[in-house]
Amino acid sequence: MQQHMITRRQALAGIGSTLAALSLPDVVVAAGQVSSNAGPEDPLGKYPKPPFREQSQPWPGLASKMDPVPDHGEKSYKGSGRLAGRKALITGGDSGMGRAAAIAYAREGADVAINYLPAEEEDAKQVIALIREAGRKGVALPGDLREESFCKKLVADAVSALGGLDILVSNAARQQTKASILDLSTEDFDATMKTNIYAPFWLIKAAVPHLKPGSVIIGTSSEQAYDPSADLYDYAQTKAATTNFVKSLAKQLAPKGIRVNGVAPGPIWTPLQVSGGATMEKLKQFGGNTPMGRPGQPAELASIYVQLAAADASYATGQIYGSSGGAGQP
Ligand code: NAD
Ligand code: MG
């Protein structure tokens, strides 16, 4: 789904000088932007529907071990130079929405650093390889965001490896289902708050001094911010906090030319859900209660992360962009 019109110069820059001799229509088709026989694509039949096979993985889980394996746009995302020369740090960039954003950003011309937990090295390696295949710099920065000292080091390492920073995607999160507040330990509650609320605070605080006008911060919120599930007492309130800090920081940073926006996904097929984020009962029917009758795939949100980072969205700040198959209320 590429509605973005590109100029001939952008198209040529994006696909290299070997195609420079082709005529304009050839070039545009070659860049994957417009095809004369491209028609509408039915979103309902595009991806798997429930029921899904029973499955669970130890937290934090690996995308490559899910059945079906999620689609992060590995084979489908086509760039058009929308983020040429940009420098992005994405937390949780190994899998799920973060991986879809990392692939898309690299194919749009950005250098990308990803953070993830050491246990996710296998997923992360695949993402770094895809970034490099796109001809961009891919930087792997594993570590645990629950530590303030690591968050500071992560930003410093990303800035030095990329030669600056102008896109921060604060996307990592912890979600563990608990039927009752009585089952939720202080340690659990604390881990969710550290990952989902403190880490974005520490990361953004470390990043702001490096962000020049035109830079962006993107947070991943959730439909849980508006319509919390009974079994996600701790997680859901952190997503309300994310939505809220996006709106506060947008006001605070607009005078510096820095935009701050959020994405609010509905049920998306990612490792978070199969490693404690959902009950087995919910997982088997995952996404089935949305109007579309299926979960979303990370690839279906990639263009949103691109749009919020791109310079042509220059008047959008403090916005939350939903993608939830017809439910949710961003
Ligand atoms: P995911 O499991 O692919 O990504 C979450 C990532 O968070 C992991 O890959 C991991 O690298 C990272 N992470 C967790 N704890 C960490 C820690 N202590 N230190 C460093 N990294 C840590 O799942 P996802 O669904 O793509 O999640 C991405 C974002 O999307 C999250 O903010 C989540 O809340 C949000 N979200 C997901 C859904 C959904 O249905 N999957 C719905 C709404 C919102
Ligand atoms: Mg992961």
Side-chain angles (χ1 to χ4, degrees), residues 59-60 92 94-97 115-117 120 143-146 171-173 195 220-222 235 239 265-268 270-273 286:
W59 177 83
D94 59 303
S95 58
M97 266 65 83
N115 163 251
Y116 52 93
L117 287 161
E120 299 171 302
D144 194 324
L145 295 170
R146 289 171 292 188
N171 165 77
T195 314
T220 304
S221 182
S222 170
Y235 172 84
K239 294 292 144 174
I268 314 296
T270 71
L272 174 131
Q273 300 292 353
F286 197 63

Side-chain angles (χ1 to χ4, degrees), residues 89-91 168-172 199-200 203-204 217-221 242 245:
L89 168 61
I90 304 174
T91 64
L168 172 63
V169 182
S170 177
N171 165 77
L203 292 167
I204 293 167
I217 298 168
I218 300 170
T220 304
S221 182
T242 304
F245 89 58

Side-chain angles (χ1 to χ4, degrees), residues 135-159:
R136 307 309 312 180
K137 192 183 274 185
V139 184
L141 299 171
D144 194 324
L145 295 170
R146 289 171 292 188
E147 291 294 330
E148 180 172 11
S149 55
F150 175 73
C151 289
K152 285 184 181 164
K153 183 174 169 346
L154 173 61
V155 171
D157 289 352
V159 167

Side-chain angles (χ1 to χ4, degrees), residues 62 92 141 163 181 326 330:
L62 290 174
L141 299 171
I181 192 170

Side-chain angles (χ1 to χ4, degrees), residues 11-304:
L12 291 174
I15 61 176
S17 55
T18 48
L19 289 170
L22 297 175
S23 67
L24 178 60
D26 290 333
V27 167
V28 171
V29 171
Q33 300 308 302
V34 183
S35 160
S36 52
N37 57 7
E41 183 182 50
D42 183 357
L44 296 182
K46 195 170 168 186
Y47 285 114
K49 288 182 160 52
F52 294 103
R53 181 177 75 71
E54 281 197 19
Q55 57 198 289
S56 80
Q57 294 185 40
W59 177 83
L62 290 174
S64 51
K65 297 213 163 104
M66 291 178 68
D67 177 18
V69 173
D71 180 6
H72 310 88
E74 287 88 344
K75 293 200 167 62
S76 57
Y77 193 89
K78 295 193 172 60
S80 59
R82 295 189 75 191
L83 303 177
R86 302 285 298 270
K87 300 167 194 302
L89 168 61
I90 304 174
T91 64
D94 59 303
S95 58
M97 266 65 83
R99 176 177 183 146
I103 294 168
Y105 281 9
R107 292 183 187 173
E108 294 290 358
D111 292 332
V112 184
I114 60 167
N115 163 251
Y116 52 93
L117 287 161
E120 299 171 302
E121 189 63 39
E122 188 183 322
D123 275 355
K125 275 203 174 109
Q126 295 173 359
V127 178
I128 294 293
L130 288 162
I131 294 168
R132 292 179 182 163
E133 271 169 37
R136 307 309 312 180
K137 192 183 274 185
V139 184
L141 299 171
D144 194 324
L145 295 170
R146 289 171 292 188
E147 291 294 330
E148 180 172 11
S149 55
F150 175 73
C151 289
K152 285 184 181 164
K153 183 174 169 346
L154 173 61
V155 171
D157 289 352
V159 167
S160 84
L162 299 172
L165 185 69
D166 53 57
I167 303 173
L168 172 63
V169 182
S170 177
N171 165 77
R174 176 183 196 272
Q175 175 185 323
Q176 293 288 308
T177 173
K178 295 279 181 206
S180 164
I181 192 170
L182 302 179
D183 303 333
L184 189 64
S185 68
T186 297
E187 289 71 27
D188 277 328
F189 187 83
D190 190 56
T192 303
M193 298 300 143
K194 284 272 162 44
T195 314
N196 301 8
I197 297 186
Y198 278 80
F201 165 59
W202 293 325
L203 292 167
I204 293 167
K205 201 169 163 182
V208 164
H210 299 282
L211 301 181
K212 298 200 169 70
S215 299
V216 301
I217 298 168
I218 300 170
T220 304
S221 182
S222 170
E223 62 177 1
Q224 291 289 326
Y226 317 92
D227 187 12
S229 297
D231 62 343
L232 293 175
Y233 167 82
D234 55 338
Y235 172 84
Q237 61 182 291
T238 69
K239 294 292 144 174
T242 304
T243 288
N244 195 278
F245 89 58
V246 161
K247 290 179 180 288
S248 163
L249 270 186
K251 291 174 184 158
Q252 189 184 122
L253 297 179
K256 293 186 191 296
I258 300 168
R259 297 185 297 109
V260 188
N261 292 289
V263 181
I268 314 296
W269 190 246
T270 71
L272 174 131
Q273 300 292 353
V274 301
S275 60
T279 60
M280 196 59 74
E281 199 184 339
K282 183 173 169 192
L283 202 61
K284 285 194 286 187
Q285 295 305 323
F286 197 63
N289 62 357
T290 65
M292 283 209 185
R294 66 166 177 88
Q297 294 290 327
E300 297 183 277
L301 287 84
S303 65
I304 301 171

